[in-house]
Amino acid sequence: MTRREFLFSSSAVTMLSGCRSFDLFGTPAMTFGVVSDIHVTTPKSCAMFEKALQQFKRRGVDAVMVPGDITDWGLKVSLRYVKETWDRVFGGTDVVPLFCTGNHDYDGWAYGDMTMEMHANGYSEADRMDKDLPAAWAEIFGEKFANVRCRTVKGFDFVSCEFGASDGTELKAWANANRARLSGNKPFFFFQHLPIKGTTVDSFGWADNGVTKPILDAYPNCVAFTGHTHRPFIDERQIWQGAFTSVGIPSLSYAGLPGGYENGGGNRGGKSKQAMGPIPVRRDLRGGEGFIVSVWTDKIVIERRDIEENDDGAPEWLIPLAAGAVEKPYADKMRGAREPIPQFPAGAELDLETRNTENRSGFWTIVLNCEFPSAVMPEGHRVFDYEIRAVPTDGSEVLVKHFLSPAYPKMAKYEPARQRFWFDVAELPQDKDYRIEVRARNCFECVSAPLVSRILRGRPGLDKSDKTL
C-alpha cells in the first residue's frame, strides 16, 4: 500500500501531495510548530528561526516546540537572542514556547572549533549558562526550570526531559508519579534532545543509551519528538512506530550527513582521504527544515516543511489515533514493502572516464568518473542513495561504494538530471576483467535494476606509481 493509498483509505478523502491537513479534515483541536537544533550564536544567526516562527504564526499555531541545541555555544547571551526573536514574532500572544536543552546548551563553549568561533566573534565562556542553568532560564524565559516538566496546551500535555537528566532517573520517577495522567487514549507529546534508542534512524548508536524507550513503552498514546541527529526529513525512517510513536526532527541550522558514504559524513578532523568531496551542509544559515503538527480527535498529521523555501518538502505523515482501527502505518514490518523502489529511465547508460583530481585531503589522485541519469521515483518520494560496485568477472571480491545524491539535504526540485560519482583508480580490481554496476536505493535499502557497464580491464600499475608527486 502506498502512502497516498493509506491516506485515502483511512480518511475517506483524496489526498494530494502537499495539501494542507486543515483543507481535508477541518479545523484541528490543536496545532504546533516543531524545529530543533537551531544553534543560535549571534543575532544574525536567528534569521532562520525567525523565518520559521513567522511561518508558524501565519498557520495560527498554538505552540512551538524546540527540543534542544537552542544555542551553539551554550551562552546566556545567545539564549537572550532566542527570546528576543520569539518576542518579535509572538510577543503579546498566547502561543506557548516549548523549549528544552541539548548538549550544546550545556557545553558547546568547550567544543574546540566552536570555542574558536565563539572567541573570534568576541564572546567568552565566562557567559556560559550551565553554571546556573535554572537561574538563567528563569531570568530569560520567565519560566521555572525543571529537568522534567509538563506544560499543557489546549488540553494536551507536553512532557519534556532536559539534556542534564538524560540518564532517565528523573523521567522514570516523574512518569511513575503521573501514570494516571498519562494513561488512556488521548495523545500526549514527549520531547527531549537525544534520540530514543531503538526507534528512529540514527538512534541505534549515539542516542540516550536506551533509558527512555522502556519508560515510554507503557504509553501507546505517546508521540515523542527528538533532535540531535540533524537528519533531513526525506529519510522515511525518521518516523517510527512500536509501542509508541517516535519522530526525529531535522535541524533548522544545517543537515547531518550519515556516515559510510563517499560523499557523506566523514571525520570532523578532516583526515579522510576519500576521493569524492563531501556534500556541503553548512550553507550559511540556509536549508532549515521543520514540522507543523495538527491534532484531531482521531488523527495527527505531521507536515514536513522546508523553512527556507516556505513549502512542503515531502508528503505529510498521518498517524491514526482510533484504537485498533488501522494497523500502525509506520511500524517496521510494513515500511520497506510500502515505500516505492527507484528505477532508472529507459535506455539509461553509464558513461565512464578517468580524470585527475584531488581527494578530500588535497592529495593528487586518479579517479574513474561514473556518470548516469538520475533514477526516478513517484511524486513525493525521493531516491535516498546509490550503490556502485566494481564486480570482477572471475567471481573474486566485489568493491562496493555508496553515494548520496548531491541534493540529499535539499528539496526534490534540486535533484540533478545526471549523477556523477568517483572511484579512486587505486582501489579498482588490478590485472583482471570487471564491470561497474550502479543501483539506486530507497532509504530501506530496496534497490533498482542495475545499470551495467562494458567489461573493463584493470592493469597493474600501483607498484610504478610515484608517491612523492
Side-chain angles (χ1 to χ4, degrees):
M1 178 186 287
T2 66
R3 181 191 291 104
R4 186 171 297 179
E5 289 168 342
F6 166 73
L7 288 168
F8 182 87
S9 64
S10 62
S11 62
V13 294
T14 300
M15 182 76 166
L16 297 177
S17 176
C19 282
R20 289 178 177 171
S21 51
F22 62 77
D23 294 333
L24 296 167
F25 307 130
T27 303
M30 178 189 61
T31 301
F32 60 97
V34 182
V35 290
S36 187
D37 296 83
I38 63 179
H39 289 274
V40 165
T41 53
T42 66
K44 180 181 178 181
S45 72
C46 293
M48 189 61 68
F49 181 50
E50 185 163 357
K51 190 170 187 175
L53 296 183
Q54 292 287 4
Q55 291 178 29
F56 294 157
K57 184 178 183 179
R58 289 193 290 271
R59 286 294 302 274
V61 300
D62 301 296
V64 176
M65 176 190 293
V66 184
D69 280 4
I70 304 170
T71 69
D72 203 34
W73 303 328
L75 303 183
K76 288 185 285 187
V77 67
S78 298
L79 207 63
R80 290 192 183 94
Y81 298 150
V82 172
K83 180 60 162 61
E84 291 166 1
T85 304
W86 177 273
D87 288 344
R88 284 197 298 272
V89 180
F90 287 122
T93 73
D94 294 329
V95 178
V96 180
L98 302 167
F99 297 169
C100 75
T101 52
N103 53 296
H104 275 258
D105 301 311
Y106 278 79
D107 53 10
W109 51 269
Y111 287 176
D113 52 343
M114 304 292 172
T115 305
M116 289 189 291
E117 183 185 19
M118 176 180 68
H119 290 163
N121 280 276
Y123 296 86
S124 168
E125 54 264 59
D127 189 43
R128 52 191 270 203
M129 61 182 171
D130 67 306
K131 292 188 292 185
D132 194 354
L133 184 54
W137 195 274
E139 173 195 344
I140 296 168
F141 288 139
E143 177 186 39
K144 184 178 179 181
F145 183 88
N147 278 331
V148 180
R149 277 175 284 175
C150 183
R151 293 98 141 181
T152 302
V153 180
K154 299 192 75 172
F156 293 91
D157 286 339
F158 289 80
V159 180
S160 63
C161 183
E162 301 295 332
F163 181 77
S166 55
D167 67 354
T169 303
E170 291 182 71
L171 177 61
K172 183 176 182 180
W174 189 93
N176 287 337
N178 290 272
R179 184 172 296 275
R181 177 175 184 169
L182 300 179
S183 298
N185 292 326
K186 186 174 183 178
F188 73 91
F189 302 93
F190 173 81
F191 60 104
Q192 67 178 29
H193 185 60
L194 292 178
I196 300 169
K197 188 173 183 178
T199 62
T200 57
V201 66
D202 279 348
S203 71
F204 293 83
W206 54 320
D208 61 356
N209 297 321
V211 297
T212 308
K213 188 174 182 295
I215 299 171
L216 299 183
D217 276 345
Y219 303 101
N221 55 322
C222 174
V223 180
F225 290 86
T226 61
H228 192 57
T229 69
H230 292 229
R231 180 66 72 96
F233 55 48
I234 69 163
D235 193 330
E236 297 295 331
R237 297 169 297 176
Q238 281 288 73
I239 184 169
W240 169 95
Q241 286 186 300
F244 60 98
T245 300
S246 182
V247 181
I249 310 167
S251 170
L252 193 65
S253 53
Y254 60 93
L257 298 179
Y261 290 91
E262 297 301 297
N263 60 344
N267 187 295
R268 190 169 180 173
K271 297 178 181 178
S272 172
K273 294 185 179 181
Q274 299 173 80
M276 195 79 189
I279 297 171
V281 292
R282 288 182 177 265
R283 297 187 292 139
D284 192 24
L285 304 178
R286 297 175 54 203
E289 298 180 344
F291 300 138
I292 295 177
V293 182
S294 301
V295 184
W296 285 265
T297 56
D298 61 344
K299 66 181 72 67
I300 295 172
V301 174
I302 301 176
E303 300 173 49
R304 293 181 273 179
R305 300 287 298 174
D306 187 296
I307 301 300
E308 181 181 0
E309 302 279 346
N310 189 20
D311 200 358
D312 294 311
E316 296 95 335
W317 287 324
L318 189 150
I319 304 168
L321 296 179
V326 180
E327 186 175 0
K328 293 182 178 181
Y330 306 106
D332 286 347
K333 62 183 180 180
M334 297 179 61
R335 305 301 300 283
R338 193 172 70 245
E339 188 69 11
I341 300 174
Q343 298 295 338
F344 290 105
E349 294 182 352
L350 281 173
D351 184 8
L352 305 175
E353 65 176 358
T354 58
R355 60 177 296 184
N356 297 330
T357 186
E358 294 179 346
N359 61 25
R360 290 192 190 186
S361 299
F363 291 101
W364 176 80
T365 190
I366 301 174
V367 298
L368 180 65
N369 187 58
C370 306
E371 289 195 29
F372 50 89
S374 295
V376 295
M377 292 273 270
E379 182 183 357
H381 299 268
R382 297 284 298 278
V383 177
F384 187 76
D385 60 15
Y386 292 88
E387 180 178 274
I388 306 183
R389 297 178 169 228
V391 183
T393 58
D394 64 3
S396 57
E397 184 177 0
V398 175
L399 175 63
V400 181
K401 300 285 187 178
H402 294 102
F403 299 87
L404 295 166
S405 164
Y408 170 79
K410 304 177 185 179
M411 290 189 69
K413 65 183 180 181
Y414 294 110
E415 190 75 23
R418 291 182 64 82
Q419 301 287 340
R420 185 188 71 180
F421 302 119
W422 298 344
F423 271 119
D424 190 323
V425 168
E427 294 184 279
L428 290 169
Q430 298 294 307
D431 199 23
K432 61 178 64 177
D433 293 339
Y434 65 94
R435 289 186 174 91
I436 298 295
E437 298 179 358
V438 178
R439 293 170 174 83
R441 308 196 304 179
N442 65 23
C443 64
F444 297 100
E445 300 185 2
C446 298
V447 301
S448 69
L451 296 179
V452 181
S453 77
R454 67 186 186 279
I455 292 179
L456 305 171
R457 179 71 177 178
R459 299 292 185 183
L462 293 180
D463 58 328
K464 301 181 179 65
S465 62
D466 187 345
K467 299 299 183 181
T468 64
L469 294 180

